[in-house]
Amino acid sequence: MKMKIPKRKLFLLIIFAYVAFSLYAAYNVFFSTKVISRVHTVVKKETGALSDGVKDDGAPFLARDWNPWENEQVDYNSDLTKKRQAFKQQLGRIHQPKRYRVQIWGKAAIGIYLWEHILEGPLNPTDKIVQWQEGELQSGKIDFSFYTGPAVVQGHVPLDMNSLVLVLNGREQQKVSYSTRWLEHVQALVQSRTVSHVAVVLLGNEHCNNNFIAPYLKRNGGFVDLLFVVYDSLWVNDKDVFQWPLGVATYRQFPMIRPNAQLITSNRPYLCNFLGTIYKNSSRDILMQVLKQSGLDKECITTAREKWLPQETADSLKRYQTALAQSELTLCPIGINTECYRIYEACSYGSVPVVEDVLTPGSCASGSSSPLRLLKAAGAPFVFISNWKELPAILERERGMSQEQRVDRRRMLLEWYAGFRQKMKERFTEVIEETFFKSG
C-alpha cells in the first residue's frame, strides 16, 4: 500500500528547500572570502596552455589548473593590501606628533651661549679654534640645527628648511655693519621665498641703541618675525620682542661648567673675588678703595689692571676660573651696562654675585624692576647693593656663616641657574613654535 504525502506537507517541504537554497546562495555571494565582481561569459584558457590540451612544458592541462576568476582575485588582493597599508600610514600620522625644523646661524659669540648653555646642544668638532662647527638637537616640537664659525659665510651654509634664527652682534658700529650685511642676505632669501620665518638673537648695544635693526622688524614692514635682545630694551613687549640674557663670555672661551660634588661642598678659602679692569673715578675704583681701607682685600682674590684686554690667555682664564671656584662671593661692579658676563660666570661656579644695582646712562628701560629685570623676574638669589660702602658689612656677615650654610646656598644658586637656563630654553622654543608654526 503506497503512503500518500499530504499536499500541504509537500508544499511546505518545497518552500523549505527553496529558502535553504536561497540562504546558501546568499551566503556564498555576500560572505565568501572570494568576492567575484562579475560573471564570466567567455571561457579563458590559462596563459601558456595550448589548444591541444597540453601546457608549454608538455604536461597535460587539467581543468583544475585554471581559475576563470584568477585575475579578479589578484586585483582584489592587491587593492586590499594597498588599503591596509594606507590605513596603517594614516594611523602613524595620527599618533606621531608633527615636528618642525629650524636652522640657527651663529654669527656672534653669544650664539655659543644660546646653543651650548641654553639649548645644551652638541658641537662638532669640539675644538673651539676650528673654522666651522655644527650640531643638532630636539627641543619641544622643533628639530634645531646650528652652524657657527668664520667659515659660515653667506651663500655657503646648507639651507634645507624655511625657518631661520640669525645670531648677531650690534654692540658697536663695526659689528653693526657686519650684522646689516647678514640681514640683507637673509632679506634676499625671504624675497626669493627660500626662507619664510626669521628670528634674530641680538647682542644689543650696551646703551640700548639698536635702531639699525628697527627697519627689519615685521612690525615696521620688515621680515624679522621675532627679536630676542640683550639688555633692558624699551622695545621688549613679550609679543615679538623678548629680552635675552647676556650669558658668559664665550668669545673669551669661557666654558660650560658641569656642577659636581666638589664644586658644591668644598671649603673655599676666600670670601670674595674681583679680577678686572679698573677705570679712574669709576665705581670699580671705589670698590678697590673700600676693600683696602677695611683690610678685607687680604681675604679676597683681587687682580686689577688699567687696560681692558679683549682676549683671554690660557693662564689668565685658568686664574679667573680658580678665583670663582675658591670664592664665596663674586663682586660685580657696573661697567657700561649693569649686566655683565661676570654675573653668569659666577653663577656657573656657585659663587654668589654681589651686584651693583645701579642704572647706567643710555636709552635702556629705567622702570622699578630695572636694571637686570630679566634676572630679577626669575628670582635671582644675588646680593644687590647700591653702594660699595655696604660691602664691609656684607663680608662680616659672610665670616659668620657656617660651612653647612654656605654649601646650602651654593647648591641653591647652582640649581637656580640651571633652572633659569631651562626656562629660557623652553621660552625660546615655545615662542618660535607659536610664531612660526601656529598655522601649521
Side-chain angles (χ1 to χ4, degrees):
M1 184 176 181
K2 292 184 180 180
M3 181 182 295
K4 289 186 178 181
I5 301 176
K7 292 182 179 181
R8 180 180 175 81
K9 288 186 179 181
L10 180 61
F11 178 75
L12 289 175
L13 285 173
I14 293 172
I15 293 297
F16 176 78
Y18 175 78
V19 171
F21 179 79
S22 298
L23 290 175
Y24 176 76
Y27 173 81
N28 279 279
V29 170
F30 295 107
F31 297 98
S32 176
T33 56
K34 297 181 179 180
V35 178
I36 303 187
S37 60
R38 62 186 176 87
V39 178
H40 283 249
T41 56
V42 179
V43 176
K44 296 180 182 178
K45 292 186 179 180
E46 180 182 320
T47 303
L50 303 180
S51 58
D52 57 358
V54 293
K55 293 184 179 180
D56 291 337
D57 58 3
F61 176 70
L62 302 177
R64 64 176 177 271
D65 294 328
W66 173 63
N67 182 357
W69 298 289
E70 183 177 4
N71 291 338
E72 277 73 5
Q73 186 66 48
V74 170
D75 292 342
Y76 171 77
N77 290 339
S78 177
D79 185 57
L80 185 60
T81 300
K82 289 178 181 178
K83 287 181 179 178
R84 286 173 176 169
Q85 290 175 346
F87 182 67
K88 288 180 180 179
Q89 291 174 357
Q90 182 65 21
L91 282 178
R93 285 192 291 269
I94 292 172
H95 291 94
Q96 185 176 359
K98 187 170 184 179
R99 301 202 60 80
Y100 309 104
R101 296 195 301 159
V102 175
Q103 195 165 103
I104 303 174
W105 293 351
K107 294 312 301 174
I110 59 165
I112 299 295
Y113 185 72
L114 163 65
W115 185 255
E116 284 195 311
H117 297 247
I118 300 293
L119 297 178
E120 295 188 312
L123 265 183
N124 296 300
T126 55
D127 186 354
K128 304 295 183 183
I129 306 180
V130 296
Q131 297 292 301
W132 179 287
Q133 288 181 292
E134 61 184 75
E136 294 181 349
L137 66 83
Q138 292 183 350
S139 179
K141 297 179 182 178
I142 301 179
D143 297 329
F144 285 106
S145 58
F146 179 71
Y147 297 93
T148 192
V152 176
V153 296
Q154 297 173 14
H156 293 278
V157 188
L159 184 62
D160 57 353
M161 55 198 73
N162 66 356
S163 299
L164 181 65
V165 176
L166 190 60
V167 186
L168 300 173
N169 187 336
R171 265 195 171 179
E172 56 194 41
Q173 188 54 47
Q174 184 180 4
K175 302 294 186 182
V176 167
S177 298
Y178 182 74
S179 295
T180 300
R181 290 197 295 272
W182 273 97
L183 286 167
E184 290 173 349
H185 173 65
V186 174
Q187 185 176 34
L189 295 176
V190 172
Q191 291 171 346
S192 66
R193 301 184 184 278
T194 304
V195 170
S196 302
H197 308 290
V198 179
V200 172
V201 177
L202 178 66
L203 174 56
N205 176 271
E206 289 172 282
H207 294 297
C208 295
N209 296 324
N210 301 309
N211 291 333
F212 83 96
I213 201 171
Y216 298 98
L217 301 182
K218 186 160 283 187
R219 64 160 81 169
N220 299 324
F223 62 91
V224 176
D225 301 276
L226 293 169
L227 175 64
F228 299 87
V229 61
V230 176
Y231 305 122
D232 292 16
S233 171
L234 288 167
W235 294 357
V236 172
N237 58 11
D238 290 337
K239 294 179 181 177
D240 65 330
V241 180
F242 297 81
Q243 190 160 346
W244 192 252
L246 174 63
V248 303
T250 54
Y251 77 99
R252 299 181 76 166
Q253 310 305 321
F254 192 91
M256 175 69 178
I257 306 300
R258 304 289 182 183
N260 54 46
Q262 183 178 2
L263 192 65
I264 297 172
T265 61
S266 64
N267 282 297
R268 300 192 177 189
Y270 297 98
L271 293 180
C272 70
N273 77 80
F274 175 71
L275 285 71
T277 308
I278 305 298
Y279 307 101
K280 289 183 179 180
N281 302 319
S282 68
S283 73
R284 297 184 178 197
D285 196 9
I286 296 172
L287 165 62
M288 296 303 294
Q289 291 177 26
V290 169
L291 284 173
K292 288 178 181 178
Q293 290 170 1
S294 62
L296 293 169
D297 57 325
K298 297 175 183 178
E299 297 188 54
C300 296
I301 305 175
T302 58
T303 302
R305 57 180 179 237
E306 295 182 355
K307 186 178 180 181
W308 178 74
L309 301 174
Q311 295 300 324
E312 197 86 69
T313 65
D315 288 340
S316 63
L317 178 59
K318 185 177 180 179
R319 285 196 300 271
Y320 177 53
Q321 290 180 270
T322 300
L324 294 173
Q326 293 185 347
S327 305
E328 296 295 340
L329 308 175
T330 294
L331 309 181
C332 304
I334 60 172
I336 300 176
N337 192 285
T338 309
E339 188 172 3
C340 61
Y341 296 114
R342 193 186 315 272
I343 293 173
Y344 299 90
E345 292 161 352
C347 290
S348 298
Y349 276 93
S351 181
V352 179
V354 179
V355 179
E356 188 176 7
D357 191 14
V358 177
L359 284 169
T360 51
S363 304
C364 297
S366 56
S368 58
S369 60
S370 293
L372 305 175
R373 63 186 178 190
L374 181 64
L375 294 170
K376 290 175 180 176
F382 303 164
V383 176
F384 293 97
I385 65 172
S386 57
N387 193 307
W388 287 112
K389 293 180 180 179
E390 303 171 37
L391 183 60
I394 292 171
L395 295 181
E396 283 298 329
R397 288 198 300 271
E398 193 66 29
R399 278 176 171 171
M401 291 183 67
S402 67
Q403 174 64 7
E404 183 180 358
Q405 289 174 318
R406 290 176 175 176
V407 168
D408 287 343
R409 184 183 61 183
R410 208 177 296 162
R411 182 182 291 107
M412 181 181 69
L413 175 59
L414 290 167
E415 288 176 354
W416 173 85
Y417 185 47
F420 172 75
R421 298 198 312 274
Q422 179 63 30
K423 288 178 182 177
M424 294 307 302
K425 176 181 180 178
E426 292 170 359
R427 186 186 197 189
F428 180 77
T429 304
E430 289 170 2
V431 167
I432 290 178
E433 281 183 12
E434 176 65 22
T435 304
F436 286 11
F437 311 113
K438 59 185 175 183
S439 61

